[in-house]
Amino acid sequence: MTFDCAAPAALAEFWAFATGGQVQPPPAGFDTWSAALTAWGVPESEHDSRSAVIDPDGVTPRLFFQCVPEPKTAKNRVHLDLRAAPGLSGEERRAAIEARAAELVARGARVLNRLEPTAMDPELCLVMADPEGNEFCLD
């Protein structure tokens, strides 16, 4: 899954935290991505042109972040749903979702909408935006 963004490294750090993944480590033989990119002749001005988040267990898809010049202008047509309270229900589930939302807000996310329980969907869901405005759901 690829995200167009303005600051790939920062957004990858956010999503690594949000998903429990990790920023993809540099290739063997390099301590940092900066060292690898410098060795490969990539200009320093392009060092933050891409980043990725991986699942260390290889279960979930890789998230790739690429720098683009234009800002986000419309609602995402695809978004991620993050499970903050698997196996929980009622007030215990609500508290877990609220706690996770607070952690994500502290890292630059925003709550866009609260979808309160209804007869069709009896559990809380929060529509959120990452630090660059990409929507995702926390449920």
Side-chain angles (χ1 to χ4, degrees):
M1 180 168 282
T2 300
F3 288 70
D4 290 348
C5 58
L11 204 55
E13 287 289 340
F14 171 85
W15 281 101
F17 177 78
T19 63
Q22 70 180 47
V23 173
Q24 185 170 338
F30 296 98
D31 292 334
T32 66
W33 274 105
S34 183
L37 296 170
T38 298
W40 298 336
V42 176
E44 190 173 332
S45 62
E46 293 180 30
H47 283 200
D48 189 21
S49 64
R50 58 198 64 188
S51 189
V53 172
I54 60 168
D55 175 353
D57 298 324
V59 176
T60 60
R62 176 178 182 250
L63 303 178
F64 182 72
F65 302 87
Q66 64 184 5
C67 188
V68 296
E70 66 277 352
K72 181 180 177 306
T73 58
K75 182 181 183 304
N76 295 24
R77 297 283 309 260
V78 174
H79 68 264
L80 299 181
D81 285 351
L82 301 181
R83 303 287 180 226
L88 302 178
S89 62
E91 285 307 312
E92 191 176 22
R93 183 176 186 280
R94 177 182 287 273
I97 290 171
E98 297 285 1
R100 186 63 173 151
E103 292 174 342
L104 296 170
V105 166
R107 293 184 177 249
R110 295 178 325 225
V111 176
L112 301 177
N113 194 10
R114 297 177 62 84
L115 303 174
E116 294 293 341
T118 65
M120 287 190 58
D121 192 358
E123 300 287 355
L124 172 68
C125 176
L126 299 179
V127 179
M128 300 187 70
D130 73 14
E132 289 201 17
N134 301 298
E135 296 91 2
F136 64 97
C137 289
L138 187 64
D139 63 11

